[in-house]
């Protein structure tokens, strides 16, 4: 894998980023774990997520993808410093007033 510098941070990321929007609704947790493991084995260390993912699915509170990623990391023994996890900072993610 030909890792790239993430700006001037000194952090190296894979040129491919794994998107996790499907995790927890159209890709249930066992499949998500297989996808994460395959990506990691292929050298992908860059994961994209957002707590607003899957909130549009009835009964889904959002934040499910992050929980799945965390449980996978724990079960697979992946240290936090081995991954770059990107998220979004804009979007309705609760019942509180949005500004």
């Amino acid at each position: 894998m030909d890792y790239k510098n993430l700006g001037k941070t000194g952090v190296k990321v894979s040129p491919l980023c794994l998107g996790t929007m499907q995790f927890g609704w159209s890709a249930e947790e066992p499949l998500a774990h297989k996808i994460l493991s395959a990506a990691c084995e292929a050298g992908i260390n860059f994961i994209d997520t957002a707590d607003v993912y899957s909130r549009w699915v009835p009964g889904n509170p959002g934040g499910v993808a992050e929980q799945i990623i965390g449980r996978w990391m724990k079960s697979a023994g992946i240290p936090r410093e081995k991954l770059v996890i990107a998220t979004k900072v804009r979007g309705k993610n609760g019942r509180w007033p949005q500004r």
Side-chain angles (χ1 to χ4, degrees):
M1 184 69 64
D2 184 20
Y3 296 94
K4 307 293 181 185
N5 289 320
L6 184 62
K8 296 180 182 181
T9 65
V11 174
K12 300 260 187 195
V13 295
S14 52
L16 296 175
C17 181
L18 176 65
T20 63
M21 185 170 71
Q22 305 301 322
F23 290 3
W25 66 290
S26 61
E28 296 297 332
E29 188 155 349
L31 176 58
H33 282 220
K34 288 180 183 178
I35 293 167
L36 287 159
S37 292
C40 190
E41 288 169 15
I44 294 172
N45 72 340
F46 193 14
I47 299 174
D48 171 67
T49 191
D51 63 355
V52 296
Y53 286 168
S54 69
R55 281 191 47 82
W56 55 86
V57 178
N60 191 312
V64 175
E66 289 86 347
Q67 293 172 18
I68 290 172
I69 294 165
R71 287 189 291 266
W72 166 75
M73 289 173 65
K74 185 175 183 178
S75 69
I78 306 294
R80 176 62 186 93
E81 62 272 6
K82 295 289 183 181
L83 298 174
V84 176
I85 301 175
T87 192
K88 316 305 181 294
V89 294
R90 175 81 169 93
K92 187 174 182 179
N93 60 7
R95 291 180 282 176
W96 301 278
Q98 303 293 309
R99 295 180 189 219

